[in-house]
Amino acid sequence: MIMMDESAELSVSITQIVQRLKGTHLHSQLEKQAKECLHKPEIKLETLKDDVRRFLKASGWERKLQNAVYRELHILPPPGHPRAPPEHTKEPLAYMRKAQVNWEKRILKSLNSMCTELGIPLARKRPVPEQKELTNKWNEMGTDEPDLSKFRPVYAPKDFLEVLVGLKNPNNERSEDLTVRSHWGLIQVSLNVRDIPQMREMYPELGITYGQLGIDDHTHVPPDLFESEHIHIGKKVESEQDSAAAQQYSRQGCPTGLRAQLWSLILNTSNDPEFFCFNFIKQDITHYEQLKARVIHHDLLVDNLIYKDVKLTASNDDYYFVFEDYLYQVLLCFSRDTAVLEHFNYNCATPPKSCIQSKSGSEQCAVVYPPNGVIPFHGFSMYVAPLCFLYNEPSKLYSVFREMYIRYFFRLHSISSHPSGIVSLCLQFERLLQTHLPQLFYHLREIGAQPLRIAFKWIVRAFSGYLSTDQLLLLWDRILGYDSLEIVAVLAAAVFAFRSENLMEVTSLASAEVVTCVCMCVLSNTKIVSSLTANTSNPVHPRHMFQNCWDNHF
Amino acid sequence: MSAKAVSCTIKSAVALQIGDAVSDSSRPGVYITDITLAEPVNIQEISFKNYYSAYLTVRLQRREDSSAKWVTCLRNYCLMSNPHAEAGSHDYFSIHRHQMLTEPDNVTTVRLILRQPSSEWLNFSIEEISIYPCAKEDLERDVPAWLSTLTPVEEPLDLNGLPDPETVSSSIQQMWALTEIMQASQTAASIGRFDVEGSYDVKLLSYT
């Protein structure tokens, strides 16, 4: 009985995926390959179907198709009940949808008022001389010092946090006092978040008995215990060009020398040019060149927001200031990429719209602004910055960033009940802390230093800019490996756990910030992965679990 | 298949609680809703939208040889996997004939027993209840064994303009052999345009 429903759902999923893959570059390549192989002697008319299929498998094309299907499965909208309206499928909780709508209105108002105050249009066509100038300095936009003082970020993470704190379920009563039913933390909604035993089941590869890159490749650990074998397996996975295998592999960390290719494989953004046809690389580049042309032709107000953000964040960062030019090249193109609009199929946010006059007639046409529907906020460029260490070709860098955004990063700044959504992550962080360090939580709460106020900025940026890049990339390995952002919440709790004894002594929010900041610096110099494994492996006693971390590092 | 729902009268929910309903401060954990049908129906499906109910029990009153008998056709069906958390609280559900413990034939009344043990929520109920009858030809009887592996026709799949799954699965095989003329859609060589006839002079954003 249940099986019939599952196979029905499967048929719908297959139909959706086939529909999406039809007409893609991969489809035409497969057609071409199959047609060309007909000339080969081993293809016989009597067994045509099987022979062609065998050929496509042997030449690696079947694997390519598998990877494409695997990618589609990642971004397939969740199956909905036939009677459920689309907005319900994206976000079932009505009060969260409402909160998202209200938040978006605030952002639009802010952008409109900035636009009116400054007298700058939201978008305009660039005059030809300006287009030429931009083309010439495309690779060194960072040398420009435009006057950005008038521009302010549309919002910062702390504004967004206030919105999340204000989220209330009308079917729930909450009082300010601490009662049996209170939430100690800032997040007042009751979402299902995993506790430590459940996470142990979900993340077995982070258990103490598994080797990890980030711990077991430490200089004093002999490489043949884990590292050599793991690198050997990594090379095999990469040569097999298997997305699913790469994702599984990434759970124990990616070796530095293989990470770029493996992430690209997991995200199915491109292929090894020696193994597959050159056309795939060309496709990436053509797409990117088209976007670049759009940047040249049209000037957007959000470009200034991007400039400002890069100047304020990445350019001031010791690790990332060298990549300033790359960041402009990626983010300006990102704003103009209409393919990003597809992610609104499963994101409950709606892209901002405007009406413009059509050239020919007097009719008003609705357009999306910016073309990708995403308004950048303060710190947005930090999603791209760490990737600059992996990819030095802008088109490659762009593809990987875009895929990471539409799979993961968008969830960090839209209101939803999704397990990897920012609300769930914040709640999970608070619950972990409350369950395992109740005294610390209570103390911080009493001195007016709610832990989430300190940790929120780390979570929103998935720790980018708060950890050294090598440590950050190890974290992002696991995000990709488990296809979930939960690990970010766990790390945030672990940071507090590391310094729990110092934090018990602070008397203000400011000093709590200082202690955690110091902790992050320390973590950057040691290994964050051990803090993750300690959190998810078998504790003898909750206190013992964190004591373990403490003993390992200090 | 989208059969029309039968007309029915949904009575207001009755709370079951110990003690005085008015003066007692604790909220009820059980609600009972009766649905009377205009005439006896062979039920194919009951669909509804949940609002914070955790468990559902369904009892049916069937007309059998001029007497009415109550039977339980669904017992403690879980709507919210964790009664204290939001998951499933607003979801749409369908209970199909094949999920029921007894045959829902000649049904005159449907009784829905809702339970919500958690004290988190102020209210709970179910909404937008629809009852769908069986199609005229009874497809459930004498179905050969091999048919049960196919997608049943009566499954209310909303394909939204997508082609039929069965034709698609056969065409996947044919794609490999390239003996079928594929319906050509345009290759995604160029990316979607955002401007209107080359113009993209956006002045202000709309709030609607």
Side-chain angles (χ1 to χ4, degrees), chain A residues 1 5 23 34 52 56 81-83 88 95 112 169 171-174 190 192 287 290 294 338 353-354 368, chain B residues 27 47 52 82 85-86 90 94 98 120 122-123 128 155-156 176 178 187-188 191-192 200 202 204-206:
Chain A
M1 312 177 292
D5 294 326
V52 171
L56 288 172
H81 191 274
R83 283 179 60 191
H88 181 276
Y95 69 92
N112 273 345
N169 181 346
N171 197 25
N172 213 320
E173 58 175 327
R174 295 241 174 270
S190 306
N192 220 0
H287 185 99
Q290 283 183 26
R294 291 177 172 191
T338 48
K353 291 191 184 60
S354 181
V368 172
Chain B
R27 294 188 286 271
S47 75
Y52 292 98
N82 178 356
E86 297 270 8
H90 285 70
S94 280
H98 59 76
E120 277 286 298
L122 294 172
N123 287 307
E128 298 178 34
E155 289 291 289
W176 292 95
L178 284 176
T187 39
I191 37 185
Y200 191 67
V202 179
L204 281 178
L205 298 170
S206 335

Side-chain angles (χ1 to χ4, degrees), chain B residues 3-4 16 18 21 30-31 39-40 47 75 80-81 84 88 115 136 139 147 163 185 190-192 194-195 199 202 206:
Chain B
K4 277 191 64 176
L16 289 189
I18 301 167
V30 187
Y31 276 106
E39 49 176 30
S47 75
R75 187 170 283 125
M80 288 168 63
S81 51
H84 300 295
R115 292 197 5 230
K136 283 286 188 294
L139 294 161
L147 251 188
S185 5
S190 69
I191 37 185
F194 58 81
D195 53 298
S199 142
V202 179
S206 335

Side-chain angles (χ1 to χ4, degrees), chain B residues 56-98:
Chain B
L56 173 69
T57 300
V58 180
R59 302 202 80 209
L60 306 172
Q61 187 176 42
R62 293 195 300 203
R63 166 138 311 172
E64 276 172 23
D65 311 322
S66 76
S67 69
K69 266 191 75 177
W70 280 101
V71 285
T72 305
C73 74
L74 199 67
R75 187 170 283 125
N76 284 334
Y77 184 72
C78 181
L79 302 177
M80 288 168 63
S81 51
N82 178 356
H84 300 295
E86 297 270 8
S89 60
H90 285 70
D91 283 356
Y92 287 82
F93 289 90
S94 280
I95 314 290
H96 295 279
R97 199 183 163 90
H98 59 76

Side-chain angles (χ1 to χ4, degrees), chain A residues 199-218 221 225-227 229-230 233 248-253 478 482 529-534 536-538:
Chain A
M199 280 199 283
R200 235 181 280 135
E201 278 184 45
M202 278 299 295
Y203 303 101
E205 294 86 355
L206 292 184
I208 238 122
T209 50
Y210 281 76
Q212 303 291 341
L213 282 187
I215 306 177
D216 301 300
D217 52 338
H218 221 187
V221 178
L225 269 183
F226 167 70
E227 196 185 351
E229 180 64 20
H230 191 65
I233 296 174
Q248 177 67 33
Y249 176 80
S250 186
R251 294 178 179 191
Q252 289 172 269
R478 275 76 182 185
Y482 289 101
V529 181
S530 43
S531 68
L532 289 171
T533 55
T536 52
S537 61
N538 277 302

